[in-house]
Amino acid sequence: MQVKHKVYELYKGTVERVTGPRTVSAFLEKGVLSVPEFILTGDNLVAKCPTWSWEAGDPSKRKSYLPADKQFLVTRNVPCLRRAIKVEEEYDAAGAELVLDDDEDGEGWLATHGVQASKPDEEEDIPSMDTLDIGKYDGIKSIPTYFSGGKKEEEEEDIPDMDTYEDTGDNLVAAEPSYFVAEEPEDDNILRTRTYDVSITYDKYYQTPRIWLTGYDESRMPLKPELVLEDISKDHAGKTVTIEDHPHLLAGKHASVHPCKHAAVMKKIIDVLMSRGGEPEVDKYLFIFLKFIASVIPTIEYDYTMDFDLGSTS
């Protein structure tokens, strides 16, 4: 399998070197992006979701067809509270739909992986339109719900009414209040989680975005590749998710969601939006893309929120 993968990567790299990047739009027809469209939708993601930013990467791995300061997108220290495999086990045990990230208004999403959700191989990477809820405002994603059950934090203690205190004037110098003394918090009060740096690159061969994951454990030590796979849905772990060198970074191996089916998925979503009277706009491509990727890494809580429809209607 490794030999086959290396031969494929050699072939892919050769094709990329001898062919130029896409410059003509085929967003609606094929679900792919040209380089200018990738920059356009990346700029929109950064503007709408400030947790994302453009990065230059290592100069030795710079792609000449991309701006020097816009080689790839990244969001850092993204929390991952639960293992994806654990969520899927709960789904299987329930024998029904499992609502994740549910808030007080009942807005959440459904786990789509498990025995009950299994599909034939040729369809397994094409998500259901109903589970994606394209065009629906989700609200800012947070760390919420896995431990609090969607309930609000307890209200702060009441602040005492100053009228209840009498100033007799006898004590002109007040005693130093005890709350000025700093104390180290107890470890038990700190929620330690796995975190991820999630990056998006432009894949010249497939002409689509590509997701990369760099994981850290609860002590901020790099995760081994096999542990990263615990946070990926079992339909994709070790299959469409591979461990490879990052195209813009030098250090370490990174998990990547292989882009071979990205264009087909995006084309299907675009077709559904258009069938509903929408007019998908290319600058919103990455918002749709990240919504789809959430089905692959369901417990990594990166931000893809937007407060407007993904497709305008006429």
Side-chain angles (χ1 to χ4, degrees), residues 13-285:
T14 302
V15 173
E16 288 182 340
R17 284 191 294 271
V18 300
T19 58
R22 172 174 285 278
T23 57
V24 178
S25 177
F27 163 61
L28 296 178
E29 296 81 6
K30 298 181 178 180
V32 298
L33 288 179
S34 65
V35 170
E37 288 171 336
F38 176 70
I39 302 300
L40 176 66
T41 187
D43 285 343
N44 197 25
L45 178 65
V46 170
K48 298 296 182 182
C49 300
T51 55
W52 290 90
S53 62
W54 284 107
E55 293 288 323
D58 188 272
S60 66
K61 304 186 79 172
R62 185 171 297 163
K63 311 300 181 185
S64 60
Y65 51 84
L66 292 168
D69 60 342
K70 294 182 178 181
Q71 293 284 298
F72 68 100
L73 294 147
V74 67
T75 181
R76 293 187 171 87
N77 299 320
V78 179
C80 181
L81 290 165
R82 300 180 68 187
R83 309 289 70 80
I85 188 172
K86 180 64 175 177
V87 172
E88 291 169 343
E89 287 174 354
E90 292 177 5
Y91 174 83
D92 292 344
E97 296 171 340
L98 177 64
V99 178
L100 303 178
D101 201 14
D102 195 18
D103 58 27
E104 61 184 5
D105 297 323
E107 296 293 343
W109 50 275
L110 301 179
T112 58
H113 305 286
V115 174
Q116 285 76 15
S118 297
K119 294 182 180 181
D121 290 342
E122 65 271 13
E123 296 182 2
E124 63 182 9
D125 294 314
I126 308 296
S128 165
M129 294 297 100
D130 293 332
T131 60
L132 288 177
D133 286 333
I134 293 298
K136 188 175 183 179
Y137 174 54
D138 291 335
I140 297 296
K141 293 192 75 178
S142 60
I143 305 181
T145 51
Y146 298 134
F147 291 98
S148 64
K151 296 180 180 178
K152 293 183 177 179
E153 297 289 335
E154 293 182 2
E155 296 182 359
E156 298 181 0
E157 296 181 2
D158 293 337
I159 299 175
D161 188 348
M162 294 305 296
D163 293 338
T164 63
Y165 292 90
E166 295 183 5
D167 184 3
T168 62
D170 295 335
N171 299 318
L172 297 180
V173 180
E176 182 178 348
S178 61
Y179 55 75
F180 284 161
V181 179
E183 296 180 358
E184 289 290 333
E186 296 182 6
D187 287 344
D188 290 344
N189 294 330
I190 299 175
L191 177 60
R192 301 186 187 277
T193 70
R194 283 188 182 183
T195 57
Y196 280 89
D197 295 344
V198 183
S199 59
I200 305 174
T201 63
Y202 180 78
D203 192 288
K204 182 181 175 184
Y205 183 83
Y206 289 104
Q207 302 170 359
T208 66
R210 183 170 184 173
I211 288 284
W212 298 81
L213 303 171
T214 307
Y216 304 91
D217 66 16
E218 291 78 0
S219 300
R220 286 297 295 170
M221 298 298 293
L223 283 176
K224 295 180 179 179
E226 59 268 23
L227 296 180
V228 173
L229 295 179
E230 295 177 349
D231 296 319
I232 296 167
S233 76
K234 64 184 180 184
D235 287 343
H236 300 87
K239 191 174 182 181
T240 58
V241 174
T242 56
I243 308 298
E244 302 181 36
D245 294 329
H246 194 285
H248 296 285
L249 302 175
L250 289 177
K253 294 288 185 179
H254 305 257
S256 176
V257 183
H258 201 276
C260 58
K261 295 187 178 181
H262 287 358
V265 171
M266 293 302 295
K267 179 64 170 70
K268 178 178 179 181
I269 295 172
I270 290 167
D271 288 345
V272 170
L273 289 173
M274 295 181 69
S275 71
R276 296 175 179 176
E279 297 177 5
E281 300 170 19
V282 71
D283 66 329
K284 300 169 187 174
Y285 185 105

